[in-house]
Amino acid sequence: MKLNEDRFIEVFFPDAAQLSLLPLTRELLTELVFNSFTDASPILIGVNGPLSTQLMNTAKLLNKDFEILDANFGSDFRPAQLEKALEAETFSAFLFVETDPYSGVRLDIVTMAEAIRKTQPDALILVEGSSALGVQAPLQIGRDVDVYFAGLDGSFGVPAGLSLIALSERANLKTFSGSAAGLMLNFSRQKQLADRVPLFASRLYPQLHAVEKQLDRIFLEGLENRE
């Protein structure tokens, strides 16, 4: 597991303060991110198509105060939409889906992050990249995104049940003070478990093997040729 995490950092996220592979589906990973990096303050969710309903339902179940920044199916957001939302309210976090898996629409996360950092620098930027990781140029952790998370079955073709999460230094610090119920990141506890004999780790071997082979392909092809 650690070897693959190190390779993900080397290939995709050299600026990450923390990166971990987790035995979670994309749906459970989304709940984990909501629980670990959002609080009672308003959050803005930016997504298109069917995922909008899915994320909205998850936020409701977790009693989150949220707004949806939506667009017509097959369209991305106009910069003016985000600017208007930033002027109207202060958010504690922004959650975007980098590439819509149904329409293929890619959001310009870099440009949106610049606007957010300029007007609401204390907010965390959370990006779901299940359909983008390994397919397009990676975002820079800390500059473009604070929490990057992805189910590896989306773009890597790995059997469902293995996910990745990469954190900026600021997001990593937030994991030490969380107290939400349900799924929650706790890297100190994870380190304790990692030092024990992995009695229940065998079910991850097929996914880890698939990830390793995909990383080999990307390394040989060159990341610039994956666009």
Side-chain angles (χ1 to χ4, degrees):
M1 190 91 105
K2 187 68 172 71
L3 174 62
N4 283 295
E5 290 172 352
D6 290 343
R7 293 189 69 193
F8 268 108
I9 290 175
E10 178 184 1
V11 176
F12 294 104
F13 305 113
D15 299 304
Q18 183 76 253
L19 185 145
S20 185
L21 295 174
L22 302 171
L24 298 173
T25 62
R26 183 176 59 80
E27 292 77 15
L28 287 175
L29 184 63
T30 302
E31 179 180 333
L32 178 82
V33 168
F34 271 124
N35 264 338
S36 301
F37 300 104
T38 66
D39 50 34
S41 304
I43 58 178
L44 183 69
I45 301 173
V47 66
N48 288 313
L51 280 183
S52 177
T53 301
Q54 184 184 97
L55 291 176
M56 192 163 45
N57 289 340
T58 301
K60 285 180 180 177
L61 287 171
L62 297 173
N63 296 316
K64 297 299 179 180
D65 180 6
F66 69 94
E67 291 185 19
I68 289 281
L69 182 63
D70 211 341
N72 293 328
F73 184 69
S75 304
D76 59 358
F77 311 122
R78 298 187 307 275
Q81 285 180 272
L82 178 60
E83 292 171 7
K84 184 176 181 180
L86 291 172
E87 291 173 358
E89 190 165 7
T90 299
F91 298 95
S92 62
F94 296 80
L95 191 156
F96 299 110
V97 175
E98 188 175 6
T99 298
D100 184 277
Y102 300 98
S103 66
V105 169
R106 295 166 57 175
L107 296 184
D108 186 355
I109 301 293
V110 174
T111 299
M112 292 193 295
E114 289 176 354
I116 293 168
R117 302 294 192 204
K118 187 182 299 182
T119 57
Q120 299 189 21
D122 293 331
L124 290 178
I125 300 175
L126 323 173
V127 173
E128 201 277 1
S130 296
S131 299
L133 182 63
V135 180
Q136 57 203 57
L139 298 173
Q140 182 174 321
I141 305 295
R143 184 196 69 184
D144 307 323
V145 57
D146 293 294
V147 179
Y148 188 97
F149 62 105
L152 297 181
D153 55 317
S155 55
F156 269 61
V158 173
L162 184 64
S163 297
L164 171 145
I165 186 165
L167 308 179
S168 69
E169 187 63 47
R170 196 156 62 106
N172 189 39
L173 290 173
K174 194 173 179 65
T175 65
F176 293 105
S177 59
S179 58
L183 292 172
M184 191 89 181
L185 274 179
N186 185 330
F187 281 116
S188 60
R189 174 63 175 159
Q190 186 172 317
K191 178 65 167 60
Q192 294 173 11
L193 293 174
D195 291 338
R196 298 181 182 179
V197 177
L199 297 177
F200 304 102
S202 60
R203 68 189 184 93
L204 291 179
Y205 289 169
Q207 287 96 327
L208 290 172
H209 175 75
V211 164
E212 186 172 0
K213 294 304 178 185
Q214 284 283 29
L215 286 170
D216 287 340
R217 282 185 56 193
I218 292 172
F219 179 77
L220 291 173
E221 293 175 9
L223 190 58
E224 66 279 1
N225 296 321
R226 301 283 292 183
E227 290 288 337

